[in-house]
């Protein structure tokens, strides 16, 4: 029950300095911001100061969000800041909390200038054109599906296109001459590898925003993403900066189209860059959040 959940959180919070601080100092502050619905500081802390709380949930359709204990959390804050329209629609549909004041913002994207980055292709042995994946190499991110679909693509089409990955290997990476895993890389190396790819791929079914897709857009790279994820599909439809797939058939057709059409990649890349510049720059985001917080302070 919700009461049992609150009691459990209270007992856990007794050992948590952050929660104790919120309890002891809640009258000293006019407003509290809580980021990410899923974790203990939000789940326990927000309920202590609900009448002063703004929730930034980073929510998407995943198993934990259906736990009954989160009903109270999503119906308690003074205001909610959403990162995408798809997130907002999902939360409103599931929690029936449209009455809570809310705003749609996002985050600011400020990657380095491509011209200021070194060429890392020789360093990493990248001698062929490649599609890039960045992030945890995990089933939860759709990487097993990515490997299956890419190997299907290689069987169907002749060509030298490779799949390059950066990030921690949680699942094994297939041994194939055209699948290259670079492991952890530095920020500079990450952006350098992004700078030189043909396109960016993200097969995840569950994303609340996806900074890596926005980074790819900012670099003028088209994206190929899972259509099972409403947020990623929404980015493609709103920006006209990428394509989405549901199956191996879709994946192979979309990848072949993008790989063989440099002009299409360039056009989609420009569209994605314009999308980020319009909606995901810090000056735009900060102005929205500041105005919303000012309004909440007056309520």
């Amino acid at each position: 029950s919700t009461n049992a959940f609150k009691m459990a959180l209270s007992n856990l919070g007794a050992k948590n300095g952050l929660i104790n601080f919120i309890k002891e100092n809640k009258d000293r502050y006019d407003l509290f911001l809580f980021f990410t619905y899923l974790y203990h500081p939000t789940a326990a802390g927000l309920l202590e100061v609900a009448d002063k709380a703004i929730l930034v949930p980073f929510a998407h359709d995943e198993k934990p969000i259906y736990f009954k204990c989160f009903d109270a959390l999503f119906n308690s804050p003074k205001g909610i800041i959403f990162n995408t329209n798809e997130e907002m629609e999902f939360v409103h549909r599931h929690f029936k909390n449209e009455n809570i004041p809310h705003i749609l913002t996002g985050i600011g994207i400020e990657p380095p200038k491509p011209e200021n980055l070194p060429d890392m292709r020789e360093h990493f042995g990248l001698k062929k054109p490649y599609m890039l994946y960045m992030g945890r190499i995990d089933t939860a991110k759709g990487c097993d599906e990515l490997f299956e679909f890419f190997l299907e693509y290689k069987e169907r089409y002749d060509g030298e296109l490779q799949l390059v990955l950066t990030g921690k290997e949680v699942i094994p990476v297939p041994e194939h001459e055209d699948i290259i895993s670079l492991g952890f890389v530095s920020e500079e190396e990450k952006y350098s590898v992004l700078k030189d790819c043909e396109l960016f791929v993200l097969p995840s079914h569950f994303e609340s925003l996806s900074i890596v897709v926005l980074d790819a857009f900012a670099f003028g790279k088209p994206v190929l993403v899972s259509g099972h994820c409403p947020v990623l599909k929404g980015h493609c439809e709103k920006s006209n900066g990428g394509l989405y797939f549901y199956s191996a058939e879709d994946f192979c057709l979309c990848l072949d189209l993008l790989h063989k059409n440099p002009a299409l990649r360039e056009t989609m890349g420009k569209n994605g860059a314009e999308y980020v510049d319009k909606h995901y720059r810090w000056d735009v985001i900060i102005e929205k959040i500041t105005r919303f917080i000012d309004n909440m302070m007056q309520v």
Side-chain angles (χ1 to χ4, degrees), residues 191-252:
Y191 286 119
S192 295
V193 175
L194 176 61
K195 171 177 68 78
D196 291 321
C197 73
E198 281 196 353
L199 69 148
F200 182 80
V201 62
L202 186 58
S204 173
H205 292 201
F206 306 105
E207 298 291 331
S208 59
L209 179 62
S210 184
I211 294 173
V212 289
V213 162
L214 298 179
D215 277 341
F217 279 159
F219 268 58
K221 302 297 180 180
V223 302
L224 179 59
V225 303
S226 173
H228 294 290
C229 177
V231 168
L232 298 181
K233 179 181 176 182
H235 281 319
C236 290
E237 291 179 334
K238 286 177 280 191
S239 68
N240 201 18
L243 302 176
Y244 51 89
F245 61 90
Y246 294 97
S247 65
E249 183 73 21
D250 298 338
F251 178 89
C252 291

Side-chain angles (χ1 to χ4, degrees), residues 250-268:
D250 298 338
F251 178 89
C252 291
L253 290 171
C254 289
L255 182 52
D256 185 58
L257 177 66
L258 288 169
H259 175 52
K260 292 180 178 177
N261 289 272
L264 177 61
R265 295 200 305 271
E266 182 179 0
T267 298
M268 284 190 164

